[in-house]
Each structure stands twice: as C-alpha cells, then as structure tokens.
C-alpha cells in the first residue's frame, strides 16, 4: 500500500545564493520579489530549483495522491533574521535571553513556490496548477536551538 503522505527533508538548507563573485543574496520571498531586477530574480530562482532538485528522489511517484496539498515546515532558530553571509561563510550567533524576533515566516514562501516548480521540472507532477496542487503556500516555523539544526521539510499529502 502506498502512503498518502510524503516528507522531503532538506537539512542545513542554503540561506543565500551567490549572485556575483563577492555578493550573496539572502533567500526571502520579500527580498527577492520586491524591487529586484527580473534577471537577477530569475537567476536566483533557477539556482533554488537546481538546489531543491537534489533532494527530490528521481523515482518519487505521487500520482496516486493527486490532487495534493503541499506544506512547508521551516526549522530555524528564532533569530534566523540575523544570519549573514561574510566572505562566503554563513555567520550566526545564538540569540541572547529575551531576544525578540522580527522576521516573518511567510517571507519564506519562495521555497514552496520553487519546490512546486521543481516537482514539475523533475516530472513528479505534470503541472502545479489546481488540477494537481489544490493547496500550497502554508509555511510553519518550528524552532531549533542552533543554526546547524536548520532544515526545510516539505509535506506532500492527498488533498
């Protein structure tokens, strides 16, 4: 019997995309889609598709589940907004007691969009229109105590 729930985990997900020899762009839907040149935006999204493709099994078959709903769980520390890229290295310090987070979990929607598109690119779904994906875009934050424990979990289930 085939399962009606598939979980795809992306451990220690990338936080930035290199956009030139010395520049990196932090991955955030708001940052990528507000005021960014469409060529640069396309470049970043293509890089995200390629990155996600490595985590989606080549033999993944969810045809028995369509239409599906796809949810994203982002496991990250409360001060994820403070993650920086310095000279190609991710920098982060644990939050101090009483830290008040300011980042919006819904700005991570770009991961869900790229994941759905990558499912189509890999042939897992014929399309990501409403005939095949009837619920998408939900992002849930789950706290972890260290940046090294970060991960993305995509949960695909029968709608």
């Amino acid at each position: 019997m085939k399962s009606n729930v598939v979980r795809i985990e992306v451990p220690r997900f990338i936080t930035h995309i290199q956009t030139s020899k010395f520049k990196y762009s932090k991955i955030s839907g708001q940052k990528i889609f507000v005021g960014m040149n469409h060529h640069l935006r396309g470049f970043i999204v293509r890089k995200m598709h390629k990155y996600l493709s490595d985590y989606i099994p080549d033999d993944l078959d969810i045809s028995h589940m369509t239409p599906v709903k796809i949810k994203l769980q982002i496991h990250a520390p409360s001060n994820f907004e403070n993650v920086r890229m310095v000279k190609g290295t991710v920098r982060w310090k644990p939050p101090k007691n009483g830290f008040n987070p300011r980042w919006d979990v819904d700005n991570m929607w770009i991961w869900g969009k790229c994941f759905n598109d990558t499912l189509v690119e890999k042939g897992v779904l014929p399309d990501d229109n409403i005939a095949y994906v009837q619920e998408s875009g939900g992002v849930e934050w789950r706290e972890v105590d260290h940046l090294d424990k970060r991960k993305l979990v995509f949960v695909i289930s029968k709608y």
Side-chain angles (χ1 to χ4, degrees):
M1 182 175 152
K2 292 185 177 185
S3 173
N4 280 336
V5 176
V6 173
R7 294 171 55 89
I8 296 180
E9 196 168 301
V10 180
R12 295 189 69 188
F13 62 92
I14 57 173
T15 58
H16 295 74
I17 297 283
Q18 188 170 6
T19 56
S20 69
K21 188 171 181 178
F22 299 110
K23 287 190 175 187
Y24 292 81
S25 184
K26 191 165 186 181
I27 297 172
S28 162
Q30 181 174 356
K31 185 171 183 97
I32 292 173
F33 278 84
V34 175
M36 183 177 281
N37 173 290
H38 69 280
H39 294 292
L40 181 57
R41 181 172 50 242
F43 173 81
I44 290 170
V45 168
R46 283 190 303 277
K47 291 279 192 180
M48 291 176 70
H49 287 192
K50 179 161 180 14
Y51 175 75
L52 288 169
S53 181
D54 291 341
Y55 293 94
I56 299 171
D58 291 333
D59 61 350
L60 180 61
D61 180 6
I62 59 172
S63 59
H64 66 285
M65 295 168 51
T66 58
V68 297
K69 59 182 172 181
I70 303 173
K71 299 287 186 181
L72 169 59
Q73 297 170 351
I74 179 168
H75 299 244
S78 62
N79 68 336
F80 184 70
E81 71 221 45
N82 294 337
V83 172
R84 301 285 180 261
M85 182 68 74
V86 179
K87 297 182 180 178
T89 302
V90 174
R91 305 283 183 180
W92 174 83
K93 292 180 183 176
K96 295 183 177 178
N97 286 340
F99 176 79
N100 187 20
R102 296 169 312 203
W103 65 288
D104 299 343
V105 72
D106 62 340
N107 284 337
M108 301 308 279
W109 63 266
I110 187 67
W111 282 110
K113 172 70 175 140
C114 289
F115 181 78
N116 293 2
D117 291 343
T118 306
L119 289 175
V120 174
E121 287 175 4
K122 289 196 73 154
V124 175
L125 288 172
D127 202 326
D128 60 348
N129 66 30
I130 60 171
Y132 301 98
V133 180
Q134 293 189 352
E135 185 176 326
S136 183
V139 184
E140 175 185 358
W141 172 66
R142 297 209 177 163
E143 185 172 13
V144 295
D145 62 2
H146 197 280
L147 187 65
D148 287 346
K149 295 180 183 177
R150 74 188 180 278
K151 65 181 173 180
L152 302 173
V153 179
F154 296 93
V155 181
I156 306 168
S157 57
K158 189 162 182 58
Y159 183 76

